[in-house]
Amino acid sequence: MITVTLADGSQRSYEQALSVGDVAADIGPGLANAALAARVNEDMVDLSYVIDKDVDLTIITGKSEDGLEVIRHSCAHLMAQAVQRLFPDVEVTIGPVIDNGFYYDFASPEPFHEDDLAKITAEMKKIVKEKLPVERFELSRDEAIEFFEEKGEKYKAEIIRDIPQDEVLSLYRQGEFTDLCRGPHVPNTGRIKVFKLMSIAGAYWRGDSNNEMLQRVYGTAWTDKKDLKDYLHFLEEAEKRDHRKLGKKMDLFHFQEEAPGMVFWHDRGWSIYQSIQQYMRVKLNARDYKEINTPSVVEYTLWEKSGHADKFGDDMFSVESENRQFAVKPMNCPCHVQVYNQGLKSYRDLPIRLAEFGSCHRNEPSGALHGLMRVRGFVQDDAHIFCEESQISAEVSEFIDFLHEVYADFGFTDIIYRISTRPEKRVGSDEVWDKSEKALADALDDKGIEWEELPGEGAFYGPKIEFSLKDCLNRVWQCGTIQVDFSMPNRLEATYIDEHGDRVTPVMLHRAILGSFERFIGILLEHHAGNMPLWLAPTQAAVLNITGQQAEYAEKVGQTLKNHGFRSIYDLRNEKIGYKIRQHTLNKTNYLVIVGNKEMEEGTITVRSHDGEDLGSMTVDALIELMNQQIKDKK
């Protein structure tokens, strides 16, 4: 007798072996029609998988994340089959699932064009209508190499040669098309109905620029048309909010080839940067952090001693001077320990909180660079807390409050919390790890915060909490972190005198709230679509005259706003007022202050907000009061 335990805890018994699909049919025709694959114990399998012993079984439908992955993986095969039907000389290489879709790389004698996407889509729809069974079979490594070489698929054969000799490989066949794959897949091609091919790009074979250039086709697949429609709408919104486009349109920053991955900040973008830095400086001071500044170039021996040379050596920029090797710092931690080490410390001095807007550089691959989101030169809102073990919990709790306060002021209240626990390779005793992990968990639990555990994802030197925020499009950005470190203070000989007069090593907490200024500004721009809150806006008000007669009055109004600390300009150009309004609206100016003869005679102004709301006539003092309140409220 075989017992199958279902996801809801119920059980079914069978006298003989049967397939997963048979179990789904036994449960009911509705599930049989919706089933795509299954999890047997923890392994994902096809519906054809035969159950011959007691198992835990979860039937996978398209409504789950697992189901979407199966659909998208199967859709990649569907696309590859369509491509080879239309272009028989094309070889398939790899076709993985990615976030919200899939891609497949093809070796093609001729490059694909955008109009080929429509042809491939039409052929995919034909294959869907054919409802071809998708069948799994196995070959040995050598048999698989021979199979693909006979088909002229040299790329597949090359992939297989890297697989261990004794491994049995699974392949999937649908009609005339066969591909190497772990699976699982949908039972037949008719189960793939909602998809769209998105774009064509170039990609080097195995990501190596020394290899052949391949043709990459991206696609997306969903369980119903509404989900696809929602996703396409999301992409449109994301495109509108792309910080790189906004940066150019709003004249905030630029990049150029002479300094790849390095930001050229323009005055308007630097204004946002400075507003954030000044805000953070006030917050740090209120919470008893000591702001420091450390060198950008440090002898390589320090990075060897700290352990960064072993782990990050390839990502570090280095330079030689007077027969000494130096590195441009990729992070601030070792330098902060050097500041801590100056002078004898007592337990009465702890905790010591050292903060720095630290300029760091990492030699990121050029292909990974992405506007402000991934750069080579960046500044972190970095700080390190040196404390006793008994102080970890209180410091973590205080930091969480700090982080919540900052995120709320920037408009983020939806936060995801994850604790990364001890990895297999680590330093420190299990007892110390137990204490540290418990301190992090207790800090979140005491605040009633739900969190997720990431087993084994902690750093080798200690566990950490990761704080990820959601933007207005529900995209998740990991920004803040607090990490417990037992290793670096010891490696760099940091000590303090405890209450017994003994010299002991402090615990070091690495913490950041924004992460890098550059990336956080990119997130802010996309979250607000460039319409920055007044306290962050590069131009808070623009005074516009209707004719030259009001030029002197407009200049006076603009200067008054400047004298009250607002970032204001006055636009006295000989242009129509409608043109000026449009231009400053596109430039995301928060308030448009319009003055004509009537306003000049009455000593008033007419005000419009950046979203087009007419606030009517008011005095300059009334606008100043309105703006001051808005800045105070961080709106």
Side-chain angles (χ1 to χ4, degrees), residues 158-221:
E158 183 178 329
I159 292 170
I160 299 169
R161 286 192 181 91
D162 291 338
I163 297 172
Q165 180 72 37
D166 56 352
E167 191 161 332
V168 176
L169 307 177
S170 60
L171 290 82
Y172 282 81
R173 179 191 297 117
Q174 54 193 57
E176 79 286 355
F177 178 77
T178 301
D179 202 358
L180 174 73
C181 190
R182 287 192 179 93
H185 284 276
V186 296
N188 68 73
T189 59
R191 301 298 296 275
I192 313 166
K193 295 181 178 176
V194 182
F195 56 85
K196 182 178 177 61
L197 301 187
M198 305 298 294
S199 62
I200 300 168
Y204 291 109
W205 169 235
R206 293 190 158 179
D208 187 338
S209 59
N210 294 316
N211 290 338
E212 305 94 320
M213 175 66 76
L214 306 176
Q215 300 285 299
R216 176 170 294 179
V217 180
Y218 287 97
T220 187

Coordinates of all heavy atoms in Angstrom, one line a residue, residues 158-221:
E158 N 28.8 21.0 -25.9 CA 29.9 21.6 -25.0 C 29.4 21.7 -23.6 O 30.2 21.5 -22.7 CB 30.2 23.0 -25.6 CG 31.4 23.7 -24.8 CD 31.7 25.0 -25.4 OE1 31.6 25.2 -26.7 OE2 32.1 25.9 -24.6
I159 N 28.1 22.1 -23.4 CA 27.6 22.2 -22.1 C 27.7 20.8 -21.4 O 28.1 20.7 -20.2 CB 26.1 22.6 -22.1 CG1 26.0 24.1 -22.6 CG2 25.5 22.5 -20.7 CD1 24.6 24.5 -22.8
I160 N 27.3 19.8 -22.1 CA 27.3 18.4 -21.5 C 28.7 17.9 -21.1 O 28.9 17.2 -20.1 CB 26.6 17.4 -22.4 CG1 25.1 17.9 -22.7 CG2 26.6 16.0 -21.9 CD1 24.4 17.2 -23.8
R161 N 29.7 18.3 -21.9 CA 31.1 17.9 -21.6 C 31.6 18.4 -20.3 O 32.5 17.8 -19.7 CB 32.0 18.4 -22.7 CG 31.9 17.6 -24.0 CD 33.0 17.9 -25.0 NE 32.9 17.1 -26.2 CZ 32.2 17.5 -27.3 NH1 31.7 18.8 -27.3 NH2 32.1 16.8 -28.4
D162 N 31.0 19.5 -19.8 CA 31.4 20.0 -18.5 C 30.7 19.3 -17.3 O 30.9 19.6 -16.2 CB 31.0 21.5 -18.4 CG 31.9 22.3 -19.3 OD1 33.0 21.8 -19.7 OD2 31.6 23.5 -19.7
I163 N 29.7 18.4 -17.6 CA 29.0 17.7 -16.6 C 29.8 16.4 -16.2 O 30.4 15.8 -17.1 CB 27.6 17.3 -17.1 CG1 26.8 18.6 -17.4 CG2 26.9 16.4 -16.2 CD1 25.5 18.3 -18.1
P164 N 29.8 16.0 -15.0 CA 30.6 14.8 -14.5 C 30.2 13.6 -15.4 O 29.1 13.4 -15.8 CB 30.2 14.7 -13.1 CG 29.8 16.0 -12.6 CD 29.2 16.7 -13.8
Q165 N 31.2 12.7 -15.6 CA 31.1 11.6 -16.4 C 29.9 10.6 -16.1 O 29.3 10.1 -16.9 CB 32.4 10.8 -16.4 CG 32.5 9.5 -17.3 CD 32.5 9.9 -18.8 OE1 33.2 10.8 -19.1 NE2 31.9 9.1 -19.6
D166 N 29.7 10.4 -14.8 CA 28.8 9.4 -14.4 C 27.4 9.9 -14.2 O 26.5 9.2 -13.7 CB 29.2 8.8 -13.0 CG 29.4 9.8 -11.9 OD1 29.4 11.0 -12.3 OD2 29.7 9.4 -10.8
E167 N 27.1 11.1 -14.6 CA 25.8 11.7 -14.3 C 24.8 11.3 -15.5 O 25.2 11.4 -16.7 CB 25.9 13.2 -14.2 CG 24.6 13.9 -13.7 CD 24.8 15.3 -13.1 OE1 25.9 15.5 -12.7 OE2 23.9 16.1 -13.2
V168 N 23.6 10.9 -15.1 CA 22.6 10.6 -16.1 C 21.8 11.9 -16.3 O 21.4 12.6 -15.4 CB 21.6 9.5 -15.5 CG1 20.5 9.3 -16.5 CG2 22.4 8.2 -15.3
L169 N 21.5 12.2 -17.6 CA 20.9 13.5 -17.9 C 19.5 13.3 -18.4 O 19.1 12.3 -19.0 CB 21.7 14.2 -19.1 CG 23.2 14.3 -18.8 CD1 23.9 14.9 -20.0 CD2 23.4 15.2 -17.6
S170 N 18.7 14.3 -18.1 CA 17.3 14.2 -18.6 C 17.1 15.2 -19.8 O 17.7 16.2 -19.8 CB 16.3 14.7 -17.5 OG 16.6 16.0 -17.0
L171 N 16.3 14.7 -20.7 CA 16.0 15.5 -21.9 C 14.5 15.5 -22.1 O 13.8 14.6 -21.6 CB 16.7 14.9 -23.2 CG 18.2 14.9 -23.3 CD1 18.9 13.8 -22.5 CD2 18.6 14.8 -24.8
Y172 N 14.0 16.5 -22.8 CA 12.6 16.7 -23.0 C 12.3 16.8 -24.5 O 13.0 17.5 -25.2 CB 12.0 17.9 -22.3 CG 11.8 17.6 -20.8 CD1 12.9 17.7 -19.9 CD2 10.6 17.3 -20.3 CE1 12.7 17.4 -18.6 CE2 10.4 17.0 -19.0 CZ 11.5 17.1 -18.1 OH 11.3 16.8 -16.8
R173 N 11.3 16.0 -25.0 CA 11.0 16.0 -26.4 C 9.6 16.5 -26.6 O 8.6 16.1 -25.8 CB 11.1 14.5 -26.9 CG 10.8 14.4 -28.4 CD 10.6 12.9 -28.8 NE 11.9 12.2 -28.6 CZ 12.1 11.2 -27.8 NH1 11.1 10.8 -27.0 NH2 13.3 10.6 -27.7
Q174 N 9.4 17.4 -27.6 CA 8.0 17.8 -28.0 C 8.0 17.8 -29.5 O 8.7 18.7 -30.1 CB 7.6 19.1 -27.3 CG 8.6 20.2 -27.5 CD 8.3 21.4 -26.6 OE1 8.2 21.3 -25.4 NE2 8.0 22.6 -27.2
G175 N 7.3 16.9 -30.1 CA 7.4 16.8 -31.6 C 8.8 16.6 -32.0 O 9.5 15.7 -31.5
E176 N 9.3 17.4 -33.0 CA 10.6 17.2 -33.6 C 11.7 17.8 -32.7 O 12.9 17.7 -33.0 CB 10.6 17.7 -35.0 CG 10.8 19.3 -35.1 CD 9.5 20.0 -34.7 OE1 8.4 19.4 -34.5 OE2 9.5 21.3 -34.7
F177 N 11.3 18.6 -31.7 CA 12.2 19.3 -30.9 C 12.6 18.6 -29.6 O 11.8 18.1 -28.9 CB 11.6 20.7 -30.5 CG 12.5 21.6 -29.7 CD1 13.6 22.2 -30.2 CD2 12.3 21.7 -28.3 CE1 14.4 23.0 -29.5 CE2 13.1 22.5 -27.5 CZ 14.2 23.2 -28.1
T178 N 13.9 18.5 -29.3 CA 14.4 17.9 -28.1 C 15.5 18.8 -27.5 O 16.3 19.4 -28.2 CB 15.1 16.6 -28.4 OG1 14.1 15.7 -29.0 CG2 15.6 15.9 -27.1
D179 N 15.4 19.0 -26.1 CA 16.3 19.9 -25.4 C 16.8 19.2 -24.1 O 16.1 18.4 -23.5 CB 15.7 21.2 -25.1 CG 16.7 22.3 -24.9 OD1 17.9 22.0 -25.0 OD2 16.3 23.5 -24.7
L180 N 18.0 19.5 -23.8 CA 18.6 19.1 -22.5 C 17.9 19.9 -21.4 O 17.9 21.2 -21.5 CB 20.1 19.3 -22.5 CG 20.9 19.1 -21.2 CD1 20.9 17.6 -20.9 CD2 22.3 19.7 -21.3
C181 N 17.4 19.3 -20.3 CA 16.7 20.1 -19.3 C 16.5 19.2 -18.1 O 16.2 18.0 -18.2 CB 15.4 20.6 -19.9 SG 14.6 21.8 -18.8
R182 N 16.5 19.9 -16.9 CA 16.2 19.2 -15.7 C 14.7 19.1 -15.5 O 14.2 18.2 -14.8 CB 16.8 19.9 -14.5 CG 18.3 19.7 -14.3 CD 18.7 20.2 -12.9 NE 20.1 20.1 -12.7 CZ 21.0 21.0 -13.0 NH1 20.6 22.2 -13.5 NH2 22.3 20.8 -12.8
G183 N 13.9 20.0 -16.1 CA 12.5 20.0 -15.9 C 12.1 20.6 -14.6 O 12.9 21.1 -13.8
P184 N 10.8 20.4 -14.2 CA 9.7 19.7 -15.0 C 9.1 20.7 -16.0 O 9.4 21.9 -16.0 CB 8.7 19.4 -13.9 CG 8.9 20.5 -12.9 CD 10.4 20.8 -12.8
H185 N 8.3 20.1 -16.8 CA 7.6 20.8 -17.9 C 6.1 20.5 -17.9 O 5.6 19.6 -17.3 CB 8.2 20.5 -19.2 CG 9.5 21.2 -19.5 ND1 9.6 22.4 -19.9 CD2 10.8 20.7 -19.3 CE1 10.9 22.7 -20.0 NE2 11.6 21.7 -19.6
V186 N 5.4 21.4 -18.6 CA 3.9 21.1 -18.7 C 3.7 19.8 -19.5 O 4.6 19.4 -20.2 CB 3.2 22.3 -19.5 CG1 3.3 23.6 -18.7 CG2 3.8 22.5 -20.9
P187 N 2.6 19.2 -19.3 CA 2.4 17.9 -19.9 C 2.2 17.9 -21.5 O 2.6 17.0 -22.1 CB 1.1 17.3 -19.3 CG 0.4 18.5 -18.7 CD 1.5 19.5 -18.3
N188 N 1.7 19.1 -22.0 CA 1.7 19.2 -23.4 C 1.7 20.7 -23.8 O 1.4 21.6 -22.9 CB 0.5 18.5 -24.0 CG -0.8 19.2 -23.6 OD1 -1.2 20.3 -24.1 ND2 -1.6 18.5 -22.7
T189 N 2.1 21.0 -25.0 CA 2.3 22.4 -25.4 C 1.0 23.2 -25.4 O 1.0 24.4 -25.3 CB 2.9 22.5 -26.8 OG1 2.0 21.8 -27.8 CG2 4.3 21.8 -26.9
G190 N -0.2 22.5 -25.4 CA -1.4 23.3 -25.3 C -1.7 24.0 -24.0 O -2.6 24.8 -23.9
R191 N -0.9 23.7 -23.0 CA -1.0 24.3 -21.7 C -0.4 25.6 -21.6 O -0.5 26.3 -20.5 CB -0.5 23.4 -20.6 CG -1.1 22.0 -20.5 CD -2.6 22.0 -20.2 NE -2.8 22.6 -18.9 CZ -2.8 21.8 -17.8 NH1 -2.6 20.5 -17.9 NH2 -3.1 22.4 -16.7
I192 N 0.3 26.1 -22.6 CA 1.0 27.4 -22.6 C 0.2 28.3 -23.5 O 0.2 28.1 -24.7 CB 2.4 27.3 -23.2 CG1 3.2 26.1 -22.5 CG2 3.2 28.5 -22.9 CD1 4.5 25.7 -23.2
K193 N -0.5 29.3 -23.0 CA -1.4 30.1 -23.8 C -1.1 31.6 -23.7 O -1.4 32.3 -24.7 CB -2.8 29.8 -23.4 CG -3.2 28.3 -23.7 CD -4.6 28.0 -23.3 CE -5.0 26.6 -23.7 NZ -6.3 26.2 -23.3
V194 N -0.6 32.1 -22.6 CA -0.5 33.5 -22.4 C 1.0 33.9 -22.4 O 1.7 33.6 -21.4 CB -1.2 34.0 -21.2 CG1 -1.1 35.5 -21.0 CG2 -2.7 33.6 -21.2
F195 N 1.5 34.4 -23.5 CA 2.9 34.8 -23.5 C 3.1 35.9 -24.5 O 2.3 36.3 -25.3 CB 3.8 33.6 -24.0 CG 3.3 33.0 -25.3 CD1 3.8 33.5 -26.5 CD2 2.5 31.9 -25.3 CE1 3.4 32.9 -27.7 CE2 2.1 31.3 -26.5 CZ 2.6 31.8 -27.7
K196 N 4.3 36.5 -24.4 CA 4.7 37.6 -25.3 C 6.2 37.7 -25.4 O 6.9 37.6 -24.4 CB 4.1 39.0 -24.8 CG 4.4 40.2 -25.7 CD 3.8 41.4 -25.2 CE 4.2 42.6 -26.1 NZ 3.7 42.5 -27.4
L197 N 6.7 37.8 -26.6 CA 8.1 38.0 -26.9 C 8.4 39.5 -26.7 O 7.7 40.3 -27.3 CB 8.5 37.4 -28.2 CG 8.3 35.9 -28.4 CD1 8.9 35.5 -29.7 CD2 8.8 35.1 -27.2
M198 N 9.4 39.8 -26.0 CA 9.6 41.2 -25.6 C 10.7 41.9 -26.4 O 10.5 43.0 -26.8 CB 10.0 41.2 -24.1 CG 9.0 40.6 -23.2 SD 7.3 41.3 -23.2 CE 7.7 42.9 -22.5
S199 N 11.8 41.3 -26.6 CA 13.0 42.0 -27.2 C 14.0 41.0 -27.6 O 14.1 39.9 -27.3 CB 13.5 43.0 -26.2 OG 14.1 42.3 -25.0
I200 N 15.0 41.6 -28.4 CA 16.2 40.9 -28.9 C 17.4 41.6 -28.4 O 17.4 42.9 -28.4 CB 16.2 40.8 -30.4 CG1 14.9 40.1 -31.0 CG2 17.4 40.1 -31.0 CD1 14.7 40.2 -32.5
A201 N 18.4 40.9 -28.0 CA 19.7 41.5 -27.6 C 20.8 40.6 -27.9 O 20.6 39.4 -28.3 CB 19.6 41.7 -26.1
G202 N 22.0 41.1 -27.9 CA 23.2 40.3 -28.1 C 23.7 39.8 -26.8 O 23.5 40.4 -25.7
A203 N 24.3 38.6 -26.8 CA 24.9 38.0 -25.6 C 26.0 37.1 -26.0 O 25.9 36.3 -26.9 CB 23.8 37.2 -24.8
Y204 N 27.1 37.2 -25.3 CA 28.3 36.3 -25.6 C 28.0 34.9 -25.0 O 27.4 34.8 -23.9 CB 29.6 36.9 -24.9 CG 30.0 38.2 -25.6 CD1 30.0 39.4 -24.9 CD2 30.6 38.1 -26.9 CE1 30.4 40.5 -25.5 CE2 31.0 39.3 -27.5 CZ 31.0 40.5 -26.8 OH 31.4 41.6 -27.4
W205 N 28.5 33.9 -25.7 CA 28.4 32.6 -25.3 C 29.1 32.4 -23.9 O 30.2 32.8 -23.7 CB 29.0 31.6 -26.3 CG 29.2 30.2 -25.9 CD1 30.4 29.5 -25.9 CD2 28.3 29.3 -25.4 NE1 30.2 28.2 -25.5 CE2 28.9 28.1 -25.2 CE3 26.9 29.4 -25.1 CZ2 28.3 26.9 -24.7 CZ3 26.2 28.2 -24.6 CH2 26.9 27.0 -24.4
R206 N 28.3 32.0 -22.9 CA 28.8 31.8 -21.6 C 29.2 33.1 -20.9 O 30.0 33.1 -20.0 CB 29.9 30.7 -21.5 CG 29.3 29.3 -21.8 CD 30.3 28.2 -21.5 NE 29.5 26.9 -21.4 CZ 30.1 25.8 -21.1 NH1 31.4 25.7 -21.0 NH2 29.4 24.7 -21.0
G207 N 28.7 34.2 -21.4 CA 29.0 35.5 -20.8 C 30.5 36.0 -21.0 O 30.9 36.9 -20.3
D208 N 31.2 35.3 -21.9 CA 32.6 35.7 -22.1 C 32.8 36.4 -23.4 O 32.5 35.9 -24.5 CB 33.5 34.4 -22.1 CG 35.0 34.6 -22.1 OD1 35.4 35.7 -22.5 OD2 35.7 33.7 -21.8
S209 N 33.3 37.7 -23.3 CA 33.5 38.5 -24.4 C 34.4 38.0 -25.5 O 34.5 38.5 -26.6 CB 33.9 39.9 -24.0 OG 35.1 39.9 -23.3
N210 N 35.2 37.0 -25.1 CA 36.1 36.3 -26.0 C 35.4 35.3 -26.9 O 36.0 34.7 -27.9 CB 37.3 35.6 -25.3 CG 38.2 36.7 -24.6 OD1 38.5 37.7 -25.2 ND2 38.5 36.4 -23.4
N211 N 34.2 34.9 -26.5 CA 33.4 33.9 -27.3 C 32.5 34.5 -28.3 O 32.4 35.8 -28.4 CB 32.6 33.1 -26.3 CG 33.4 32.2 -25.4 OD1 34.5 31.9 -25.7 ND2 32.9 31.8 -24.2
E212 N 31.8 33.7 -29.0 CA 30.9 34.1 -30.1 C 29.7 34.9 -29.5 O 29.3 34.7 -28.4 CB 30.3 32.9 -30.9 CG 31.4 32.0 -31.4 CD 31.7 30.8 -30.5 OE1 31.7 31.0 -29.3 OE2 31.8 29.7 -31.0
M213 N 29.3 35.9 -30.3 CA 28.1 36.7 -30.0 C 26.9 35.9 -30.4 O 26.8 35.4 -31.6 CB 28.1 38.0 -30.7 CG 26.9 38.9 -30.5 SD 26.6 39.4 -28.8 CE 27.8 40.7 -28.7
L214 N 25.9 35.7 -29.5 CA 24.7 35.0 -29.8 C 23.5 36.0 -29.8 O 23.7 37.2 -29.5 CB 24.4 34.0 -28.7 CG 25.6 33.0 -28.4 CD1 25.2 32.1 -27.2 CD2 25.9 32.1 -29.7
Q215 N 22.4 35.5 -30.3 CA 21.2 36.3 -30.3 C 20.3 35.9 -29.1 O 19.9 34.7 -29.0 CB 20.4 36.0 -31.6 CG 21.2 36.4 -32.9 CD 21.3 37.9 -33.0 OE1 20.2 38.6 -33.2 NE2 22.5 38.4 -33.0
R216 N 20.0 36.8 -28.3 CA 19.1 36.5 -27.1 C 17.7 37.0 -27.3 O 17.6 38.2 -27.6 CB 19.7 37.1 -25.8 CG 18.9 36.9 -24.6 CD 19.6 37.3 -23.3 NE 20.7 36.4 -23.1 CZ 21.6 36.5 -22.0 NH1 21.4 37.5 -21.2 NH2 22.6 35.7 -21.9
V217 N 16.7 36.2 -27.2 CA 15.3 36.6 -27.3 C 14.7 36.5 -25.9 O 14.7 35.4 -25.3 CB 14.6 35.7 -28.3 CG1 13.1 36.2 -28.4 CG2 15.2 35.8 -29.7
Y218 N 14.1 37.6 -25.5 CA 13.5 37.6 -24.2 C 12.0 37.5 -24.4 O 11.4 38.0 -25.3 CB 13.7 39.0 -23.5 CG 15.1 39.2 -22.9 CD1 16.1 39.9 -23.6 CD2 15.4 38.7 -21.6 CE1 17.3 40.1 -23.1 CE2 16.7 38.8 -21.1 CZ 17.6 39.5 -21.8 OH 18.9 39.7 -21.3
G219 N 11.3 36.8 -23.4 CA 9.9 36.7 -23.4 C 9.3 36.6 -22.0 O 10.0 36.5 -21.0
T220 N 8.0 36.7 -21.9 CA 7.3 36.6 -20.7 C 6.1 35.7 -20.9 O 5.6 35.6 -22.0 CB 6.9 37.9 -20.1 OG1 6.4 37.8 -18.8 CG2 5.8 38.6 -21.0
A221 N 5.7 35.0 -19.8 CA 4.6 34.1 -19.9 C 3.8 34.1 -18.6 O 4.4 34.2 -17.5 CB 5.0 32.6 -20.2

